[in-house]
Each structure stands twice: as structure tokens, then as C-alpha cells.
Amino acid sequence: MTAIHLFDAVSRHNRWLSVRQSTIASNIANANTPGYKSLDVEPFEKVLEATRLTMNATQPGHMADEANKATAVGVSKSEPWETTHSGNSVSLEQELINAGDVNRAYRLNTGIAKAFHRMLLASAKV
């Protein structure tokens, strides 16, 4: 039987969504701070490409694969819709849209994980 990496992918995506939601909350909290530049995280596809599946050592003689460690999620300045006279680039509308995207992605992840879990339980009952 081969390993199932779906739960790992869902877990990584949920961690990325958590970081993105924290960044969005920080942007909203600083909406009136003069000179504050809105931030966003790098897309999940980039994070997923940077982290490969790790190899398992099934025998004591196998070499460890230390080169494939997971990288941290990078936070960078986002492209603002507008910049105010005070230099603040946070758009509340844009941040609320981003928060809605995070919410939808989290619900999708949860639905997929629940369906897969039910499928595994159903196959184990046989």
C-alpha cells in the first residue's frame, strides 16, 4: 500500500491559509496607520513547489534526505488598489475580498478532508 499525501497537502494548505488570514487581519488593523504598506503572502503554489515530498528511510542503511526541508511562507508587499495621501496602501474592500477567499478555501479543504476521511472509513468497514 502506498502512502496517502492528501491529508498532508490539506494540512499544509490550512497552515498557509492561517498565515494569510493573519496577514490580512494585520492589514485591516493598520488601515489608518500613516505610511503602512499592505502585505500579502506568496501564492500557495509557490510554497508547494518549493517543498518536495520527503523520502522515508525504511532501512537503517538508507541515507537521510536533508535537502528537502520545508521552507517558510514568505510575506511581501501586495499590489495596492489605491494609496492615500498619508502613504497607506490598505484597501479595506481588497482585504475583505481576500478574507472571503481564505474562508472559501478553508471550507473547501475541510470538505475534501471530510469526504476523504469518510471514504477511508467506509473502505475499512468492509
Side-chain angles (χ1 to χ4, degrees):
M1 183 170 167
T2 61
I4 301 171
H5 299 287
L6 178 76
F7 292 123
D8 183 46
V10 168
S11 176
R12 286 180 192 216
H13 194 229
N14 282 340
R15 276 181 275 175
W16 178 84
L17 289 170
S18 174
V19 171
R20 185 155 193 238
Q21 185 65 31
S22 296
T23 305
I24 292 168
S26 176
N27 287 343
I28 291 173
N30 289 298
N32 293 326
T33 304
Y36 182 82
K37 304 294 181 203
S38 64
L39 303 173
D40 202 358
V41 296
E42 62 185 12
F44 182 67
E45 291 78 21
K46 275 189 168 181
V47 174
L48 199 58
E49 287 173 4
T51 58
R52 297 185 337 191
L53 295 175
T54 59
M55 295 173 26
N56 289 332
T58 57
Q59 298 290 327
H62 288 178
M63 297 187 316
D65 186 20
E66 296 296 326
N68 294 329
K69 295 296 178 188
T71 57
V73 176
V75 177
S76 61
K77 292 182 182 175
S78 66
E79 293 295 323
W81 285 0
E82 59 187 23
T83 303
T84 61
H85 293 293
S86 66
N88 188 316
S89 67
V90 176
S91 168
L92 289 177
E93 294 86 6
Q94 183 180 16
E95 298 304 325
L96 291 175
I97 289 170
N98 291 342
D101 290 342
V102 168
N103 185 12
R104 280 187 297 281
Y106 180 76
R107 284 187 298 167
L108 178 65
N109 278 351
T110 304
I112 290 171
K114 282 182 181 178
F116 199 75
H117 184 255
R118 282 192 306 266
M119 185 175 57
L120 282 174
L121 289 177
S123 66
K125 286 183 182 179
V126 174

